[in-house]
Amino acid sequence: MRPKKKKRTITKKLVIFVGGLFLVCLTFLAAATAFFLKDLPRPETITKRALTESTKIYDRTGKILLYEVYKEEKRTQIALDMIPLPAQQALIAIEDANFYNHFGLDWRGVARAVIENFTPFGPGFFRGSGGSTITQQLVKNSLVGTKRTYARKLKEAILAILLERQYSKSQILEWYLNQIPFGSNAYGIESAAQTFFGKNAESLTISESALLAALPKAPTYYSPYGQHKDELLNRKNLILNRMQELGFLSPDEIANTKKEVPVFLPPRKDIIAPHFVMMVREELARRFGEEEVERGGLNVTTTLDVTLQTEAEKIIGEGAEYNTKTFNATNAGLIAIDPVNGNILALVGSKNYFDVAAEGNFNVTTAFRQPGSAFKPFVYATAFKKGYTPDTVVFDTETEFNPLCNPDGTPGPLIQDPKDCYKPQNYDGSFRGPVTLRRALAQSLNVPAVKVLYLAGVQDSVATARDLGITTLGDGSRFGLSLVLGGAEVKLLEMTSAFGVFAREGVRVAPTPILRIEHQGRPLWEFHPEPRPVLDTNIARLINDVLSDNAARIGVFHPNSSLAFQNRDVAAKTGTTQEFRDAWTVGYVPSLAVGVWVGNNDNTPIQEKGGGITTAAPLWRRFMDVALASVPPEAFTAPEIPHPEKAILRGVWRGEEIVKLDRVSGKRATDATPPDFIEEHAYGEPHTILWWLNPKDPAGPKPEYPEEDPQYKNWNASFRKWLLQSGFVPIPVTAIPEAYDDAHTAEKSPKIEVVSFTEEKIITRISGFFPLKEVIFFIDDAPYKTIVSPAEGQIEFLFPALIKEEHTFRIKTYDAVGNSGEWESGL
């Protein structure tokens, strides 16, 4: 019987504990309720809002107002029976499906929020979790504000319960529909209907009702005048599906509604640089919340240069009009960034922001588009990092890159679909045989670029692009060799910023549209550039050197193309996607990077003659001319040209045995042969580059079995075909000279004989086996006098006046083949 008694004792203690805990909670709840009871709103209180301050967005000088989020809110109160039932149901479906069943709080939502905020499960444990009911949202927006504190949430919860006890669901819903912010300063559904559709709320269609219901979650982000219109339409369809699940709409109604194409009114026009301003506003909402942007009285100084912006809008507008008529390319965008500090100086997202019918509010600078050949510099930079050089030679020959396909591009035994074979073409349909990486990149040749991508590695090339600021590629595992021809999607903003890393010689500064944010003179945030090295300095200089080499472009580009500048270093790269859906030009000087995109918003192709050089480059050039008009020429720092030990990396490919020869005598070079007179010659059978190196270790030893490389078979077949067709005749190994350089010897070097040496002058007699090139007289290792192409015989050097201290005198002479002679003495 003792155990039973013990059990009763434990039960009794548990009951006392639970009862005590309940009393404590009840007491706390009662005290909190009493404290907040005095704040229970009356109807006339909840329909009034506190005075607000407008947020002002300025240019970089802080003087030109770009846009003002007006404190005068657009609001028209209407009765619930004037709001169509589908409009009510749409907001209920997406915001609070249990609205008619709860008493102010949705305990399931509260439970989810508690578990995610106060347990190890963390945010996202429950799909679609969130705890705010329509009643809570009404209290938050009208009475307690949006400050994220537990006290505010508790007050919101208690007021929501009390509000539900005193007022009907219809009254609460009516208040909510008249209070909720829809963006563009529209509060309430009547104002939203007028703002976005130009009609009264009672005339809204089901589709329009769902679109409006999609806005309150994030009015700036989902704004039909912003850059996320696709997400807005997706959210609309989500709401329609939820309405069907809840029994508000039938399947037929859903099907018909989804076919409707929304027609929005144009946005208001009292705005400068609208695409840029909307980007700034979205960033402000992300940092401070919608409420603060709409009502907080922020003063925002942006990075925008209004003069450049005005020119950019003019150039894009006129250029898009011309391209529409000539190339069926109806839209264009431009962005200009200072690579030194990341400041966005100008941004045009479409030809006309206010032409909503033509999707003018769509911001192409942040849209996902394929870059075409504009992606190639990232690949070549990766190759340079691995030891390849601008002089490395690859073969521009028709090549099949799928190892399972035959060299002629037909399917192999393991290939069922011929489309699985990959045999890219160059822009002009021709092939050039051996080309250096310098020419291949400068001329934007496609076949060499695919080979360079294979040599550099797809994953490593993706990593380079990511390091330079391209965020849209993921881990790169989904890409193949088509990546280098624009087989991925990128953003014009990020591409331009990434090219700015080259301009800054490998240093990245993330782009920003905002310089500082203030409230009533008090700084809230200020931009401070954070430069970060992401690419080796010399690699960046090599890319700058190639992309600014106009001579290397000739062959594909006209010598006076839009990319060619006189007396100024400007690097540039064009890009055109394979199906002519996108045309690009991105270029830079050390202090400015500018990118231009041309195409159609709906991704339809432009005319085949409308590539990057013909549609985008003229617009880019016009802007560069304006932007650089008052900027002194800036020179790119010359790179250190690599000279790797492996001959194939230096571009020597014509045979399997490499011999260094003196170019004067034609014989084998010796230690006495001047470096400038040494040439490398290849003898024997030539090979494709994969015969010489392993792409994973290009500077390492030659592969023992190069045919094991999956690309070797097709590359070699293409190379052999070129050899037969080109008429190239290899020089046999037996032709290698056996004799050594006899032009550069001590006996054949110039001779200096001092005839007379006094305190006033030196008289010398100079002779040489080869014609003399120059004689230089040094005083203390500083050149004092130079005689070019002297005749043999006596040469007299007079000392400068007033030499009284001890000095060293030296005479050095060179002949035409690089031999030298020297004499030195003191005085």
Side-chain angles (χ1 to χ4, degrees):
M1 298 299 291
R2 287 184 179 179
K4 191 172 182 180
K5 182 178 180 182
K6 184 176 181 181
K7 185 176 181 180
R8 285 198 302 268
T9 302
I10 294 174
T11 302
K12 183 178 179 181
K13 290 181 178 179
L14 183 61
V15 170
I16 293 173
F17 174 77
V18 172
L21 183 62
F22 177 76
L23 289 174
V24 170
C25 292
L26 191 62
T27 302
F28 174 78
L29 183 61
T33 302
F35 177 77
F36 292 120
L37 190 61
K38 57 185 175 58
D39 292 327
L40 181 63
R42 298 185 304 276
E44 60 271 23
T45 302
I46 207 167
T47 55
K48 295 179 181 178
R49 297 178 69 87
L51 291 176
T52 62
E53 296 180 78
S54 60
T55 288
K56 296 180 176 64
I57 300 174
Y58 293 92
D59 76 327
R60 66 184 301 105
T61 68
K63 298 177 180 178
I64 299 176
L65 182 65
L66 305 179
Y67 181 71
E68 182 172 8
V69 183
Y70 292 112
K71 64 183 179 181
E72 292 87 1
E73 300 167 356
K74 292 178 283 186
R75 180 197 310 281
T76 302
Q77 303 282 341
I78 58 173
L80 188 63
D81 58 12
M82 296 178 65
I83 302 172
L85 185 59
Q88 302 176 36
Q89 293 170 333
L91 277 158
I92 289 173
I94 196 64
E95 296 292 341
D96 187 3
N98 202 36
F99 174 68
Y100 285 107
N101 299 318
H102 62 65
F103 54 91
L105 303 181
D106 183 348
W107 289 112
R108 287 174 297 182
V110 172
R112 287 197 301 267
V114 169
I115 290 175
E116 291 197 348
N117 285 284
F118 298 100
T119 73
F121 295 110
F125 180 71
F126 292 102
R127 183 181 175 190
S129 64
S132 292
T133 64
I134 281 178
T135 313
Q136 287 177 274
Q137 292 181 49
L138 175 62
V139 170
K140 178 179 68 176
N141 288 325
S142 301
L143 298 170
V144 300
T146 59
K147 189 175 181 180
R148 293 178 177 271
T149 65
Y150 293 119
R152 198 273 299 165
K153 288 295 291 183
L154 178 61
K155 186 175 183 179
E156 174 191 298
I158 294 175
L159 286 172
I161 294 172
L162 295 174
L163 197 66
E164 289 261 359
R165 289 185 60 188
Q166 185 164 341
Y167 302 106
S168 68
K169 289 286 187 181
S170 295
Q171 180 64 79
I172 291 171
L173 184 61
E174 178 182 308
W175 283 335
Y176 176 75
L177 290 169
N178 280 291
Q179 289 280 342
I180 192 169
F182 288 88
S184 297
N185 300 317
Y187 286 82
I189 195 165
E190 176 71 7
S191 178
Q194 293 283 358
T195 298
F196 298 113
F197 300 116
K199 59 173 62 175
N200 296 327
E202 61 184 354
S203 302
L204 288 170
T205 66
I206 296 175
S207 176
E208 292 167 345
S209 297
L211 275 165
L212 291 184
L215 293 172
K217 180 181 179 182
T220 297
Y221 183 87
Y222 288 114
S223 171
Y225 308 132
Q227 52 195 351
H228 302 287
K229 189 174 179 181
D230 287 344
E231 288 93 329
L232 170 64
L233 298 178
N234 290 338
R235 185 165 169 79
K236 178 207 75 170
N237 289 335
L238 169 68
I239 292 170
L240 292 173
N241 292 337
R242 288 286 294 132
M243 292 174 74
Q244 182 181 348
E245 292 172 6
L246 295 171
F248 295 152
L249 295 176
S250 68
D252 288 342
E253 288 176 309
I254 289 288
N256 293 331
T257 299
K258 286 185 176 181
K259 294 178 184 177
E260 291 184 27
V261 178
V263 179
F264 295 100
L265 287 180
R268 67 190 230 206
K269 293 189 175 183
D270 54 340
I271 179 173
I272 299 174
H275 293 100
F276 176 81
V277 164
M278 290 303 152
M279 176 187 291
V280 170
R281 181 167 177 172
E282 185 174 320
E283 175 64 15
L284 293 173
R286 187 187 67 82
R287 287 181 177 275
F288 301 102
E290 295 280 354
E291 182 82 4
E292 191 69 14
V293 175
E294 293 279 354
R295 310 169 66 193
L298 303 176
N299 269 17
V300 183
T301 303
T302 70
T303 60
L304 193 82
D305 184 313
V306 170
T307 301
L308 291 181
Q309 177 68 23
T310 302
E311 291 293 336
E313 290 178 357
K314 178 183 178 182
I315 290 167
I316 291 298
E318 294 174 355
E321 182 179 358
Y322 175 81
N323 285 336
T324 299
K325 298 174 182 178
T326 312
F327 303 109
N328 191 37
T330 60
N331 201 12
L334 179 150
I335 186 167
I337 299 175
D338 184 340
V340 176
N341 52 32
N343 287 190
I344 299 175
L345 302 175
L347 186 152
V348 183
S350 286
K351 62 181 180 182
N352 182 1
Y353 176 84
F354 302 102
D355 186 358
V356 177
E359 295 186 311
N361 55 302
F362 182 66
N363 187 351
V364 300
T365 70
T366 57
F368 289 80
R369 307 296 305 204
Q370 291 193 348
S373 295
F375 193 85
K376 289 175 182 175
F378 307 132
V379 175
Y380 281 78
T382 307
F384 293 160
K385 285 196 290 186
K386 293 198 167 188
Y388 301 92
T389 75
D391 296 323
T392 302
V393 170
V394 291
F395 272 76
D396 180 22
T397 54
E398 193 170 19
T399 307
E400 171 56 53
F401 287 97
N402 186 336
L404 300 179
C405 293
N406 297 316
D408 63 358
T410 58
L414 299 179
I415 296 292
Q416 302 296 323
D417 188 349
K419 293 181 180 179
D420 290 337
C421 297
Y422 183 51
K423 204 173 186 181
Q425 304 293 305
N426 287 322
Y427 179 76
D428 58 2
S430 62
F431 300 95
R432 292 160 179 79
V435 293
T436 63
L437 298 198
R438 175 181 292 275
R439 284 184 58 212
L441 176 56
Q443 296 181 17
S444 198
L445 303 178
N446 289 340
V447 176
V450 177
K451 292 182 176 179
V452 173
L453 176 59
Y454 180 74
L455 296 172
V458 173
Q459 297 302 316
D460 290 337
S461 298
V462 168
T464 296
R466 188 186 304 117
D467 289 343
L468 270 61
I470 305 298
T471 65
T472 57
L473 304 178
D475 62 6
S477 59
R478 61 192 174 96
F479 298 117
L481 294 179
S482 64
L483 172 68
V484 73
L485 305 185
E489 289 187 325
V490 298
K491 300 177 181 179
L492 178 60
L493 188 158
E494 292 185 353
M495 284 287 287
T496 306
S497 175
F499 273 57
V501 176
F502 296 133
R504 285 240 26 212
E505 299 190 340
V507 177
R508 168 170 162 74
V509 179
T512 180
I514 301 174
L515 289 177
R516 58 185 168 274
I517 304 170
E518 300 173 333
H519 181 254
Q520 296 180 348
R522 179 173 59 88
L524 299 180
W525 179 87
E526 188 166 0
F527 173 71
H528 296 284
E530 296 179 358
R532 183 167 58 90
V534 295
L535 184 67
D536 178 83
T537 300
N538 200 58
I539 302 300
R541 289 175 178 174
L542 286 171
I543 294 294
N544 297 341
D545 189 56
V546 173
L547 294 184
S548 62
D549 188 347
N550 195 56
R553 294 190 191 108
I554 298 173
V556 171
F557 297 92
H558 191 277
N560 295 317
S561 74
S562 297
L563 309 183
F565 287 73
Q566 298 296 323
N567 304 318
R568 186 187 287 275
D569 284 355
V570 181
K573 184 73 192 72
T574 60
T576 308
T577 50
Q578 290 282 53
E579 296 181 348
F580 294 90
R581 301 181 189 277
D582 305 89
W584 299 66
T585 298
V586 186
Y588 55 91
V589 295
S591 61
L592 180 68
V594 178
V596 171
W597 171 90
V598 168
N600 295 309
N601 287 358
D602 61 3
N603 211 32
T604 55
I606 61 181
Q607 290 185 11
E608 289 192 9
K609 61 180 179 179
I613 189 63
T614 53
T615 61
L619 279 61
W620 173 85
R621 176 57 185 262
R622 281 186 61 190
F623 182 84
M624 291 294 283
D625 284 342
V626 170
L628 299 178
S630 59
V631 178
E634 305 166 274
F636 292 122
T637 302
E640 180 181 329
I641 302 298
H643 193 75
E645 182 178 347
K646 206 166 191 175
I648 193 67
L649 297 176
R650 300 193 301 272
V652 183
W653 62 270
R654 289 175 173 80
E656 58 190 358
E657 188 166 342
I658 312 301
V659 179
K660 294 181 179 180
L661 300 181
D662 164 44
R663 63 182 171 89
V664 176
S665 64
K667 301 174 183 179
R668 286 178 178 263
T670 67
D671 291 342
T673 307
D676 290 345
F677 287 80
I678 295 177
E679 294 177 338
E680 291 183 308
H681 290 256
Y683 296 84
E685 187 70 19
H687 297 278
T688 179
I689 193 171
L690 292 177
W691 189 86
W692 290 97
L693 56 79
N694 177 353
K696 295 181 180 178
D697 183 19
K702 174 187 169 300
E704 187 174 358
Y705 303 104
E707 62 275 4
E708 292 182 353
D709 188 298
Q711 288 290 335
Y712 180 82
K713 179 190 72 171
N714 287 351
W715 288 29
N716 187 55
S718 174
F719 174 71
R720 295 295 161 195
K721 182 178 179 181
W722 176 85
L723 280 178
L724 290 174
Q725 295 176 345
S726 67
F728 175 82
V729 179
I731 305 174
V733 175
T734 56
I736 297 176
E738 296 183 359
Y740 286 87
D741 174 17
D742 57 4
H744 300 97
T745 63
E747 293 76 15
K748 294 182 178 179
S749 295
K751 304 297 187 292
I752 302 174
E753 178 186 355
V754 176
V755 177
S756 174
F757 183 11
T758 68
E759 293 184 356
E760 289 80 24
K761 63 183 177 180
I762 297 177
I763 300 176
T764 65
R765 181 179 291 112
I766 299 177
S767 60
F769 184 87
F770 296 101
L772 298 177
K773 182 180 180 181
E774 64 179 358
V775 179
I776 308 173
F777 178 42
F778 296 86
I779 299 179
D780 297 333
D781 291 327
Y784 172 66
K785 185 176 183 180
T786 300
I787 301 175
V788 179
S789 300
E792 290 192 35
Q794 290 191 1
I795 298 178
E796 185 177 281
F797 293 99
L798 297 176
F799 295 149
L802 303 176
I803 288 188
K804 297 180 180 179
E805 301 159 353
E806 188 170 315
H807 296 276
T808 299
F809 300 95
R810 183 161 55 95
I811 301 173
K812 193 162 187 176
T813 182
Y814 296 89
D815 65 19
V817 300
N819 291 318
S820 64
E822 187 171 348
W823 173 89
E824 183 175 330
S825 181
L827 178 64

